[in-house]
Amino acid sequence: MIDLYYWTTPNGHKITLFLEETGLPYTLHPVQIGAGDQFKPEFLAISPNNRIPAIVDRSPADGGPPLSVFESGAILLYLAEKTGRFLPADLRGRVAVTEWLFWQMAGLGPMLGQNHHFSQYAPEKIPYAIDRYVKETGRLYAVLDRRLDGRAYLAGDYSIADMACYPWIVPYQRQGQALEDFPQVKRWFETIQDRPATRRAYALAETINSTTTITDQAKAILFGQSAATVREPSR
Ligand SMILES: N[C@@H](CCC(=O)N[C@@H](CS)C(=O)NCC(=O)O)C(=O)O
């Protein structure tokens, strides 16, 4: 049994996509990041960066005590290895999946996250920042589009690399992008959107939180963090 510490954001969706695909039994624990749940000591004990997602595997393969994992890329790799699904066993297939998984973790996620911040949430509209991240988002979409030319998925069959990228493309309109400009991304996106597991993961999210708007109080919690927040999380 997997305990999933989750909120309805792109990084959270990555893990419900995997769990719904595999049917691995899991219990979902909502962590309301706009209300500050990520600073509770019991959550920080498994996720020291005060970010969702995190998991606890109550039956790890080594038969030892429950094992926690934070960072969505590490969680996807862990679950893929645990189940033997969505990560090829052969050397070259595995390298290709990990390349695109790390590309998502280090590039697509952080850059699109800054796009969301400056386009949607920042109290001032800073043209330089908006332009910088909308353009970088477009560049990354073009990299994805080129990679998908002649390929159904990012690396071989549907894999954890696709599961990492897909949730970040879902809000493409809010990122100032049009899928018509990236025909391969559009085709790939619509194929994944139609998977029954994808539909289940997003339907589940709707039952937990159906809004994308963030209150001023939530903004203060999410965007006001500093070293002091880490040193005194209960303040
Ligand atoms: N690199 C991390 C990023 C996780 C992340 O940024 N999570 C956000 C939601 S998508 C969060 O928990 N934010 C809470 C906060 O900022 O305090 C991962 O992929 O797991």
Side-chain angles (χ1 to χ4, degrees):
M1 174 65 83
I2 302 289
D3 283 318
L4 170 61
Y5 294 84
Y6 162 93
W7 194 240
T8 54
T9 67
N11 291 316
H13 297 313
K14 292 174 187 175
I15 314 303
T16 48
L17 286 180
F18 186 97
L19 292 166
E20 289 296 331
E21 285 287 346
T22 54
L24 209 56
Y26 68 102
T27 305
L28 200 146
H29 302 271
V31 178
Q32 286 196 51
I33 58 175
D37 285 358
Q38 68 273 41
F39 300 111
K40 290 184 175 163
E42 58 273 26
F43 181 68
L44 288 173
I46 59 169
S47 188
N49 193 37
N50 64 264
R51 300 280 190 272
I52 65 93
I55 62 164
V56 176
D57 183 355
R58 306 226 156 258
S59 338
D62 64 1
L67 177 59
S68 64
V69 189
F70 72 98
E71 280 293 323
S72 59
I75 297 169
L76 286 173
L77 274 174
Y78 176 83
L79 293 174
E81 281 168 357
K82 179 180 176 74
T83 57
R85 306 274 317 273
F86 301 109
L87 178 65
D90 70 286
L91 176 71
R92 282 155 208 273
R94 197 182 170 85
V95 166
V97 168
T98 51
E99 280 176 331
W100 289 96
L101 175 65
F102 278 65
W103 176 81
Q104 189 291 315
M105 292 299 299
L108 192 75
M111 292 297 147
L112 276 48
Q114 294 305 317
N115 179 336
H116 292 171
H117 183 79
F118 288 107
S119 303
Q120 315 283 325
Y121 306 129
E124 311 154 55
K125 292 279 173 229
I126 306 166
Y128 178 85
I130 295 171
D131 189 52
R132 154 87 181 121
Y133 289 110
V134 170
K135 276 188 352 210
E136 175 62 3
T137 301
R139 190 190 73 81
L140 291 162
Y141 272 53
V143 171
L144 203 53
D145 204 55
R146 192 170 55 194
R147 174 67 186 178
L148 289 166
D149 196 6
R151 284 186 181 83
Y153 298 106
L154 279 168
D157 294 336
Y158 185 54
S159 75
I160 54 174
D162 301 290
M163 290 178 205
C165 292
Y166 172 82
W168 281 96
I169 307 300
V170 171
Y172 63 88
Q173 284 164 322
R174 295 167 64 213
Q175 297 161 4
Q177 308 300 317
L179 287 190
E180 283 64 35
D181 293 340
F182 306 98
Q184 303 306 326
V185 175
K186 184 171 191 291
R187 185 250 318 143
W188 166 89
F189 178 83
E190 288 171 353
T191 305
I192 298 175
Q193 186 176 42
D194 276 348
R195 292 178 76 92
T198 306
R199 296 208 176 279
R200 284 197 299 275
Y202 280 81
L204 179 64
E206 279 286 313
T207 66
I208 291 167
N209 171 37
S210 57
T211 175
T212 51
T213 49
I214 302 187
T215 63
D216 285 344
Q217 195 194 0
K219 282 182 188 166
I221 290 170
L222 291 168
F223 308 137
Q225 297 175 25
S226 66
T229 319
V230 176
R231 291 178 182 140
E232 295 174 75
S234 56
R235 248 180 4 136

